[in-house]
Amino acid sequence: MIILSIETSCDETSVAITNNGREVLSNVVFTQIAVHTIYGGVVPEIASRMHTEKLSELTLAAINEAKIAFEDVEAVAVSYAPGLIGALLTGVAFAKALAFSLNVPLIPVHHIRGHIASCYITFKELTPPFICLIASGSHSHIVKVNDYTDYEILGATKDDAPGEAFDKVARLLGLGYPGGVKIDKLFSKGDSKRFKFPKVTFKDNPYNFSFSGVKTNVINLVHNMEQKGEEVPVNDVCASFNQIVAETLVEKLHLACINEKATKVAICGGVSANSVLRKLALDTFSKDNITLYLPDLSLCGDNAAMIGCAGYYEYKAGNIGDMYLNAKSNSPIN
Ligand code: KG4
Ligand code: ZN
């Protein structure tokens, strides 16, 4: 089944063509980072305008790259929630128009379900059930994937998402936006044991996260040093911060896997590109004979191929939308 899929939830405009979920025929991604960098973060209004400007061009590019014709498209899938409401609306409106004009079904896809599907594209053999950590710029969840469209949330962030913490710490240190990649690159140059930032635990749910505390600790440390006229050891701060975030994510995920007796675990979302997190997870899970699935780096960030893959399974489960489909800035994965 050929699906044309659309992703516009934040600052990546993307259109993809997938076949039967896991085969990617094209995945065109236009990143707006260069524009948002000037402002130190995503400006929602600019993001929406750029999506609108780019969607037609990227759709044609995706069709051409996949070497198909519009008549070959059997359904249109779109990321409708969660995300920046204006940005999502551009994709939803475009997808509705396209599905209507091609007279094919419209498939609403939850963005986080899309991130999980990035693992299905990378690993053709991966099937539910498994435990999945989704760590991105706006989400961190530990989810039990019971089936392709059946999810159970085990834990989630109570405040900042990990990517958000990366971005804010990077901004504080003058590294620019987006911060994750920049901090990741500095890890090998710094001493990750120099600063001991706290790990937050929740008594009621050991799988919940909090990243605002570690972010505030970094801010206080940097401000104290600046006030004393000391030079801030940026590499050591970045390495120590990255280490604590990676440890927090992997430890909670590991605990969930042990308690749930999982044999398969996946990590996805923008932060899953983090080299420290990937290495720590590989080391941790290989010791327990739990198979770890990490998506290809090209699929960690927002892209439409993952929406097409998730859309295929939504379609098979009968989750079809109509012309009343609306975007939602917030919506639980389950
Ligand atoms: O999944 P994503 O592309 O968008 C959302 O759905 O939020 O995630 C973007 C986030 C940003 O906060 C970015 O800083 C972070 O992923 N990120 C990373 C890395 N690459 C991207 N964080 C840590 N290390 C990286 N290598
Ligand atoms: Zn995302």
Side-chain angles (χ1 to χ4, degrees), residues 253-267:
L253 182 61
H254 185 229
L255 183 67
C257 289
I258 298 296
N259 289 345
E260 296 291 330
K261 297 185 176 50
T263 55
K264 294 185 270 186
V265 62
I267 306 180

Side-chain angles (χ1 to χ4, degrees), residues 71 90 95 104 120 146 152 222 238 243-244 268 313 320 328:
E71 299 78 63
T90 65
V104 296
Y120 299 138
N146 295 324
E152 214 178 308
V222 170
C238 286
Q243 181 67 31
I244 205 77
C268 58
Y313 292 106
I320 316 280
K328 283 186 188 169

Side-chain angles (χ1 to χ4, degrees), residues 7 9-10 111-112 115 134 136-139 269-270 300-303 306:
E7 162 58 42
S9 69
C10 191
H111 180 77
I112 302 179
H115 273 300
I134 306 103
S136 73
S138 34
H139 312 282
C300 291
D302 292 345
N303 67 87
M306 66 185 197

